Amino acid sequence: MIQILKPIDIPKILLLVKQLNPTISETILEQRQKEMFKIENYYCFGFYIKAKLIGVSSGWLTTRLYSGKQLEIDNVIIDSSYQSKGFGKDFLNEIELWAKNNKCNTVELNT
């Protein structure tokens, strides 16, 4: 199940973000996450299994000439202890459903 995370969730988000960015200090990651939450078209998706946050992804609503309204996602992270079990695919499927429900024509993964 996905939820839209809020600034109050930053401590939980950082536990996962640190896995993807081990060379960046937690202080800098926290500062950047706070800045991202200030951007109007920013969404932070959380993926939960049995009430445990095991995945996060950044999402940006935008409009592209070639596709119209679009959700661009990046920093897709699944907790390392849950990887290779199909949860990443489930997470992306739920994000895609959220995008469709929010009138997006496309979802683009920025890698």
Side-chain angles (χ1 to χ4, degrees):
M1 171 177 84
I2 66 167
Q3 291 182 2
I4 301 299
L5 302 177
K6 303 290 182 196
I8 195 168
D9 299 309
I10 288 176
K12 294 187 293 186
I13 295 166
L14 289 177
L15 292 174
L16 295 173
V17 169
K18 190 70 176 153
Q19 290 181 24
L20 186 63
N21 302 280
T23 62
I24 302 173
S25 77
E26 191 168 323
T27 302
I28 290 173
L29 291 172
E30 180 179 13
Q31 176 186 0
R32 290 175 180 169
Q33 188 67 59
K34 286 178 179 177
E35 287 297 315
M36 290 161 62
F37 272 116
K38 292 178 184 176
I39 300 170
E40 185 177 332
N41 66 330
Y42 173 74
Y43 292 84
C44 186
F45 297 96
F47 185 64
Y48 288 84
I49 298 295
K50 298 181 182 178
K52 177 176 172 48
L53 181 65
I54 69 156
V56 294
S57 177
S58 296
W60 312 85
L61 283 179
T62 187
T63 301
R64 304 284 188 202
L65 288 172
Y66 57 86
S67 66
K69 188 174 180 181
Q70 177 185 82
L71 175 66
E72 180 180 323
I73 57 173
D74 61 12
N75 297 306
V76 180
I77 305 164
I78 296 293
D79 186 298
S80 60
S81 61
Y82 288 85
Q83 291 177 1
S84 300
K85 297 179 178 156
F87 292 119
K89 179 181 177 183
D90 295 341
F91 188 22
L92 291 176
N93 286 340
E94 289 200 32
I95 290 172
E96 183 177 18
L97 180 60
W98 182 91
K100 287 179 184 177
N101 289 337
N102 285 275
K103 310 289 189 234
C104 292
N105 297 316
T106 58
V107 177
E108 183 174 292
L109 175 61
N110 182 354
T111 60

